């Protein structure tokens, strides 16, 4: 069964550093998403991406966040200057055109120290 | 705006007994409803979804959920719980009228004891 692949599975970074989280969505999917789950809390929507541009974003997705699909395969989330409160599990998801299901990756656990 | 409520932080049930994990939602437009399960240090695994049609939806691992429009609920059920069902369960809703994203409930931890 097709999977959404996320790398790395765990990243530790120092406060103020830039991080890039990588995702390879399912190949025929056209909608891409990033969600965040702070430890023990609910899963929160960050951003959706379609047709090479952001289609929706939440209040969490401020100027320090950006997304990109640089090569038609990878879908990346960049955090420009990490803060302690950015520590969370970040999930990538994708969905096909007209599809009614989201496929989630296994997540990247980001720890900011 | 769309929202999901999971009123129980934790549900405890004995192995072999039926289980119910509750979910209510609020959306404008027709809801698409989902249940996901998360095992420790793992991602979100899809269990089942309601899009349209029969109100009783059957999913993975023997789980099912019933869509109740009048009560705006989508409770997750299983006739006979297994210890291996112990995990964190998330209900989620999407309304295409409100944008293409899932809104999750706060999660319910299911503990099945032998």
């Amino acid at each position: 069964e097709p999977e959404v692949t996320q790398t790395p599975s765990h990243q530790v970074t120092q406060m103020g550093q830039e991080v890039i989280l990588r995702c390879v969505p399912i190949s025929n999917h056209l909608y891409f998403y990033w969600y965040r789950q702070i430890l023990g809390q609910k899963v929160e929507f960050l951003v959706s991406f379609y047709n090479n541009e952001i289609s929706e974003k939440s209040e969490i997705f401020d100027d320090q966040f950006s997304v990109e699909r640089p090569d038609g395969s990878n879908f990346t989330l960049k955090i420009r200057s990490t803060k302690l409160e950015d520590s969370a599990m970040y999930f990538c998801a994708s969905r096909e055109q007209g599809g009614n299901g989201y496929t989630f990756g296994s997540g990247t656990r980001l720890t900011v120290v | 705006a769309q929202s999901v409520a999971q009123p129980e932080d934790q549900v405890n049930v004995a192995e072999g007994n039926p289980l119910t994990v509750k979910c209510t939602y609020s959306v404008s437009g027709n809801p698409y409803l989902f249940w996901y399960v998360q095992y420790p240090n793992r991602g979100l695994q899809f269990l089942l979804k309601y899009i349209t049609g029969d109100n009783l939806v059957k999913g993975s691992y023997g789980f099912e959920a019933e869509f109740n429009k009048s009560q705006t609920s989508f409770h997750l059920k299983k006739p006979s719980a297994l210890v291996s069902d112990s995990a964190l369960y998330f209900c989620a809703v999407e309304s295409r009228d409100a944008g293409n994203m899932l809104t999750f409930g706060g999660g319910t931890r299911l503990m099945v004891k032998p």
Side-chain angles (χ1 to χ4, degrees):
Chain A
E1 188 166 327
E3 291 184 342
V4 174
T5 306
Q6 289 187 244
T7 54
S9 56
H10 191 188
Q11 179 150 2
V12 181
T13 188
Q14 288 199 324
M15 191 168 56
Q17 295 296 303
E18 175 183 286
V19 295
I20 297 176
L21 310 183
R22 291 184 166 78
C23 170
V24 179
I26 293 173
S27 61
N28 64 337
H29 285 191
L30 299 179
Y31 295 85
F32 313 112
Y33 305 83
W34 283 101
Y35 287 81
R36 179 180 83 174
Q37 183 186 30
I38 295 172
L39 187 63
Q41 299 186 23
K42 70 192 296 184
V43 179
E44 300 171 294
F45 168 76
L46 289 178
V47 65
S48 60
F49 191 86
Y50 171 72
N51 201 25
N52 286 320
E53 60 183 22
I54 290 173
S55 47
E56 309 267 357
K57 60 181 181 179
S58 72
E59 293 176 353
I60 303 168
F61 194 87
D62 61 22
D63 291 345
Q64 71 160 342
F65 290 92
S66 62
V67 289
E68 212 175 32
R69 193 146 191 259
D71 56 11
S73 172
N74 291 284
F75 178 52
T76 61
L77 174 69
K78 183 192 291 186
I79 309 175
R80 218 176 322 277
S81 177
T82 50
K83 303 191 281 272
L84 294 176
E85 53 265 37
D86 293 327
S87 296
M89 181 76 95
Y90 288 81
F91 292 108
C92 175
S94 69
R95 182 169 67 86
E96 61 185 331
Q97 178 84 26
N100 298 319
Y102 295 73
T103 302
F104 282 84
S106 298
T108 294
R109 182 170 296 284
L110 176 66
T111 303
V112 182
V113 297
Chain B
Q2 53 195 35
S3 64
V4 179
Q6 292 180 244
E8 303 150 315
D9 290 336
Q10 183 160 316
V11 169
N12 298 311
V13 64
E15 187 174 32
N17 283 359
L19 69 87
T20 299
V21 182
K22 295 180 181 176
C23 171
T24 58
Y25 65 90
S26 173
V27 294
S28 57
N30 293 319
Y32 297 174
L33 294 155
F34 303 80
W35 276 101
Y36 286 86
V37 60
Q38 185 181 33
Y39 295 98
N41 299 313
R42 302 289 295 276
L44 297 166
Q45 293 181 34
F46 170 79
L47 275 181
L48 52 79
K49 66 185 177 190
Y50 170 82
I51 304 299
T52 187
D54 194 349
N55 289 343
L56 184 63
V57 179
K58 293 187 184 296
S60 307
Y61 313 121
F63 284 93
E64 57 189 31
E66 185 164 13
F67 171 62
N68 187 318
K69 187 172 183 178
S70 62
Q71 297 186 5
T72 61
S73 67
F74 190 57
H75 301 330
L76 181 71
K77 301 184 181 193
K78 186 173 182 181
S80 178
L82 300 173
V83 172
S84 57
D85 292 330
S86 298
L88 190 56
Y89 290 80
F90 289 97
C91 181
V93 67
E94 178 191 7
S95 168
R96 298 287 162 92
D97 293 347
N100 292 306
M101 83 283 281
L102 286 176
T103 297
F104 285 85
T108 298
R109 186 165 301 283
L110 174 67
M111 299 288 291
V112 182
K113 297 187 177 171

